[in-house]
Amino acid sequence: MASIFSKIAAGEIPSYKVAEDDRHFAFLDINPVHPGHVLVIPKKEVDYLFDLSDEEYASLLLFAKKVAGAIKRAIPCKKVGVTVIGLDVPHAHIHLVPMDKGEDMNFCAPKLTLPAEEMADIAAAIAAEF
């Protein structure tokens, strides 16, 4: 059965897409730790990031780097943090989070709920910079 991320990348489940190419998809986390929190996935469904081939892994990271640049240009922040947790959804993914301080990357803190209009505006701003 396809993961929720595979369904998002296939357009079966709506998302706030910020970037896409033939092998990767990036979209806003609907429960962000900070506004502009993006998930970057390979379209190929693989549960564990380190089970990707070397070429797939490098390609995903290069795509994430481009997305991080777009986030940095679109969202005022000092840096874009990156982390891989991967326990909630069985599909490899990278978290990119705009940050000004370390606490902005606290995944144990309560998640944000942003209005749909704000999410759409953030996604459009990042997509425009991609």
Side-chain angles (χ1 to χ4, degrees), residues 17-18 70 73-74 121-130:
K17 178 174 77 169
V18 300
R73 291 186 296 276
D121 289 347
I122 291 168
I126 297 169
E129 294 293 339
F130 184 74

Side-chain angles (χ1 to χ4, degrees), residues 8-27:
I8 288 170
E12 297 170 19
I13 295 175
S15 69
Y16 297 98
K17 178 174 77 169
V18 300
E20 178 179 21
D21 67 13
D22 60 325
R23 295 169 44 183
H24 313 98
F25 195 85
F27 56 100

Side-chain angles (χ1 to χ4, degrees), residues 85-109:
I85 301 169
L87 296 174
D88 295 334
V89 177
H91 191 128
H93 57 285
I94 296 170
H95 295 263
L96 299 176
V97 180
M99 56 185 270
D100 291 306
K101 56 192 179 310
E103 294 85 43
D104 292 339
M105 293 283 295
N106 183 357
F107 284 78
C108 295

Side-chain angles (χ1 to χ4, degrees), residues 20-87:
E20 178 179 21
D21 67 13
D22 60 325
R23 295 169 44 183
H24 313 98
F25 195 85
F27 56 100
L28 292 182
D29 190 315
I30 60 168
N31 296 302
V33 297
H34 192 278
H37 176 175
V38 171
L39 298 174
V40 180
I41 65 168
K43 288 182 178 177
K44 176 182 177 181
E45 190 170 315
V46 173
D47 179 17
Y48 185 47
L49 182 71
F50 297 122
D51 285 341
L52 292 168
S53 72
D54 290 350
E55 192 277 327
E56 291 165 335
Y57 178 80
S59 178
L60 180 64
L61 289 178
L62 289 171
F63 182 78
K65 181 179 179 180
K66 292 177 188 173
V67 174
I71 294 169
K72 180 98 170 61
R73 291 186 296 276
I75 307 291
C77 61
K78 288 184 180 177
K79 294 186 177 186
V80 175
V82 61
T83 191
V84 174
I85 301 169
L87 296 174

